[in-house]
């Protein structure tokens, strides 16, 4: 009697920088998209860190578009095709789960950078770093005062020799209490990232989170999420290069 063959392992996603959105068919860098996976019992779950094993499906739309696709059945149809199975359960709060995971990923990234000493806090320290050209990404809490923002934005422009350019820091969709908790520091109102690689990493997760929830220029006196991330994370004239490196969130 022949021994039974072991089951074939489920193939993980192929390596590569691009993925296709199952809803729109548009392709984008995987860092700008959101991965969905299926649990053993068929429940669709978000995997925004793209770490879970097995087949994944990717979406590149915002929360409002996802809610519409969930309500009208387009998401279910797309995931039936993407996962090649019909025993799927899509939770009604999937957009909420994604938003929570994106926020957690962004805050965790800031905490990691704080421990790695790639960012500084405190208005005076940030002002000095900005004027000396050390700041690659300037961030403001959602409840930061406009006067404080303007002062540090001006210091950023002076340090970049970009006065009159409109270069500004990026307002984060989180108040100072949340940022303070994430960084393990007191009264974090502004954050300056002083390492270029760290600025890219932080800008990437913030752009994806902000893009999904629709947090942008209408919420605070700041550029759009993608413009703010690029402008503050790249030297003047390098915005296109920064976009190519994954600092924008793309919605096909």
């Amino acid at each position: 009697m022949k021994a039974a063959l072991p089951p074939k392992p489920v193939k993980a996603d192929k390596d590569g920088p691009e993925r296709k959105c199952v809803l729109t068919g548009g392709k984008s860098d995987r860092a700008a998209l959101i991965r969905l996976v299926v649990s053993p019992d068929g429940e669709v779950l978000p995997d925004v860190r793209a770490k879970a094993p097995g087949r994944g499906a990717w979406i590149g739309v915002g929360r409002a578009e996802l809610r519409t696709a969930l309500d009208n059945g387009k998401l279910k149809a797309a995931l039936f095709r993407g996962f090649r199975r019909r025993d799927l359960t899509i939770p009604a709060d999937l957009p909420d789960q994604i938003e929570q995971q994106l926020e957690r990923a962004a805050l965790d990234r800031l905490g990691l950078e704080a421990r790695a000493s790639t960012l500084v806090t405190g208005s005076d320290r940030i002002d000095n770093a900005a004027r000396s050209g050390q700041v690659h990404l300037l961030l403001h809490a959602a409840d930061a005062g406009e006067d404080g923002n303007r002062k540090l934005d001006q210091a950023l422009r002076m340090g970049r020799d970009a006065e009159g350019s409109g270069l500004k820091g990026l307002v984060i969709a989180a108040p100072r209490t949340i940022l303070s908790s994430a960084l393990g520091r007191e009264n974090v109102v502004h954050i300056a990232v002083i390492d270029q690689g760290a600025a890219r990493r932080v800008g990437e997760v913030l752009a994806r989170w902000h893009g999904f929830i629709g947090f942008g220029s209408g919420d605070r006196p700041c550029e759009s999420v993608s413009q703010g991330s690029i402008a503050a994370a790249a030297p003047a004239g390098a915005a296109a290069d920064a976009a190519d490196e994954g600092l924008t969130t793309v919605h096909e």
Side-chain angles (χ1 to χ4, degrees), residues 110-163:
L110 287 171
L112 287 171
E113 300 300 345
R115 290 192 288 276
S117 300
T118 58
L119 55 81
V120 297
T121 57
S123 294
D124 290 342
R125 293 183 64 198
I126 292 174
D127 186 85
N128 291 334
R131 290 177 186 276
S132 61
Q134 300 177 48
V135 176
H136 295 277
L137 178 61
L138 176 62
L139 306 172
H140 306 303
D143 58 347
E146 293 185 14
D147 288 344
N149 289 2
R150 279 195 295 267
K151 177 183 176 182
L152 294 180
D153 290 343
Q154 176 62 22
L156 178 68
R157 290 190 290 270
M158 290 183 64
R160 292 283 184 82
D161 195 22
E163 293 185 72

Side-chain angles (χ1 to χ4, degrees), residues 230-231 234-248:
I230 293 171
D241 292 339
D244 290 339
E245 292 177 359
L247 290 180
T248 56

Side-chain angles (χ1 to χ4, degrees), residues 41 43 48 57 80 82 85 142 148 154 166 176 179 182 193 205 237-238:
D41 60 358
E43 183 177 12
V48 302
F80 281 166
R85 54 186 292 182
Q154 176 62 22
R176 66 187 70 192
L179 295 180
V193 185
V205 294

Side-chain angles (χ1 to χ4, degrees), residues 147-203:
D147 288 344
N149 289 2
R150 279 195 295 267
K151 177 183 176 182
L152 294 180
D153 290 343
Q154 176 62 22
L156 178 68
R157 290 190 290 270
M158 290 183 64
R160 292 283 184 82
D161 195 22
E163 293 185 72
S165 68
L167 180 67
K168 296 181 181 180
L170 176 67
V171 177
I172 309 177
R176 66 187 70 192
T177 54
I178 299 298
L179 295 180
S180 299
S181 177
L183 272 61
R185 302 180 184 180
E186 294 184 0
N187 196 31
V188 176
V189 183
H190 309 280
I191 300 171
V193 185
I194 56 175
D195 175 84
Q196 189 169 16
R200 185 181 302 111
R201 293 188 293 269
V202 171

Side-chain angles (χ1 to χ4, degrees), residues 14 19 47 76 88 143:
K14 295 179 181 180
R19 294 292 185 272
D47 175 33
K76 177 176 283 190
L88 298 178
D143 58 347

